[in-house]
Amino acid sequence: ETGVTQTPRHLVMGMTNKKSLKCEQHLGHNAMYWYKQSAKKPLELMFVYNFKEQTENNSVPSRFSPECPNSSHLFLHLHTLQPEDSALYLCASSQEKQGTLNIQYFGAGTRLSVL
Amino acid sequence: GESVGLHLPTLSVQEGDNSIINCAYSNSASDYFIWYKQESGKGPQFIIDIRSNMDKRQGQRVTVLLNKTVKHLSLQIAATQPGDSAVYFCAEQQANAGGTSYGKLTFGQGTILTVHP
């Protein structure tokens, strides 16, 4: 166990559905991240939250909507997705501090298939 | 643009052999270089890091080498075991980047390591 839990582990949805991915960290960290992992591509950073404030949005389409109600929980709301959005979505957390190594701890991911 | 990438997408070794996984990077402003291991069905797991002012760091059965002259990073695994089979990613981090996201990681594509018994 890494201390980062993602649910669900697998999700199949149609292009008109609305679903949410959930991430919870039990490590007391101040930062949480969403990544997209597609086949044959490096992990792509989507969003960063530090102390519940969004600090990064890497030009992610608006059909992905993150929510961070507190430092331990992170959601990714999905609506009107496209088949090319099918991927493994990974959540991570870290204790961000300037000037030091920030080790990110990852959850096991949600395998998303968009039909 | 700046990127971190890997030379070889796959590496196949016999159990007991030493493995070397390579990585090229282009951002000379990075403060840390990190190796992650991702096993099937799991998220990436931190293995070892090296600070930009170092050229070698050893862990348990793993050694990371950093050559800033040619912007090259490598991970050496001694006496490779079947449990080492996974995808290995290098990543870089700027701990003093402007703004508030000090923990941002830029990942390379990954190398698939397969260890045969």
Side-chain angles (χ1 to χ4, degrees):
Chain A
E1 286 296 325
T2 64
V4 180
T5 304
Q6 290 187 244
T7 54
R9 291 296 309 275
H10 302 274
L11 179 62
V12 179
M13 60 187 289
M15 289 190 285
T16 59
N17 292 157
K18 290 184 180 181
K19 297 287 184 182
S20 296
L21 309 184
K22 179 183 176 182
C23 178
E24 183 175 358
Q25 58 101 356
H26 309 277
L27 302 169
H29 289 162
N30 61 4
M32 297 186 76
Y33 313 79
W34 279 118
Y35 288 88
K36 177 183 179 181
Q37 187 175 31
S38 305
K40 302 180 181 179
K41 285 187 178 181
L43 272 75
E44 301 171 64
L45 179 64
M46 300 174 72
F47 302 104
V48 181
Y49 277 82
N50 187 299
F51 287 113
K52 303 184 299 178
E53 298 297 322
Q54 186 178 128
T55 57
E56 291 284 335
N57 178 339
N58 278 4
S59 303
V60 180
S62 59
R63 57 186 183 270
F64 295 91
S65 175
E67 179 189 0
C68 189
N70 55 60
S71 296
S72 300
H73 293 86
L74 185 65
F75 296 89
L76 188 62
H77 304 300
L78 316 171
H79 62 98
T80 60
L81 294 191
Q82 304 299 311
E84 59 265 28
D85 296 322
S86 298
L88 180 68
Y89 288 85
L90 289 162
C91 173
S93 73
S94 75
Q95 186 61 29
E96 280 197 352
K97 184 178 178 181
Q98 187 177 13
T100 65
L101 172 67
N102 295 282
I103 299 174
Q104 290 187 18
Y105 294 83
F106 285 82
T110 295
R111 175 68 63 184
L112 174 67
S113 297
V114 181
L115 305 179
Chain B
E2 296 170 338
S3 65
V4 181
L6 295 170
H7 294 304
L8 298 175
T10 61
L11 178 63
S12 185
V13 301
Q14 290 295 126
E15 182 178 1
D17 288 351
N18 296 333
S19 302
I20 300 176
I21 301 171
N22 297 301
C23 177
Y25 68 92
S26 58
N27 186 0
S28 46
S30 297
D31 298 296
Y32 292 93
F33 299 90
I34 304 122
W35 283 99
Y36 277 86
K37 172 187 180 182
Q38 186 174 20
E39 297 176 86
S40 180
K42 297 183 179 180
Q45 179 183 9
F46 173 86
I47 302 173
I48 191 169
D49 70 278
I50 187 167
R51 194 164 181 173
S52 59
N53 62 356
M54 301 171 64
D55 52 23
K56 181 178 180 179
R57 188 170 188 204
Q58 287 185 294
Q60 188 176 12
R61 282 202 307 118
V62 294
T63 300
V64 57
L65 300 177
L66 177 63
N67 186 331
K68 293 183 287 294
T69 302
V70 295
K71 296 182 180 177
H72 184 265
L73 183 71
S74 70
L75 177 71
Q76 301 179 1
I77 305 174
T80 316
Q81 302 168 0
D84 295 326
S85 295
V87 180
Y88 289 81
F89 296 94
C90 63
E92 53 97 0
Q93 187 174 73
Q94 286 184 259
N96 292 294
T100 56
S101 294
Y102 309 122
K104 281 181 62 176
L105 289 171
T106 301
F107 281 88
Q109 189 172 5
T111 292
I112 301 171
L113 175 65
T114 303
V115 183
H116 299 283

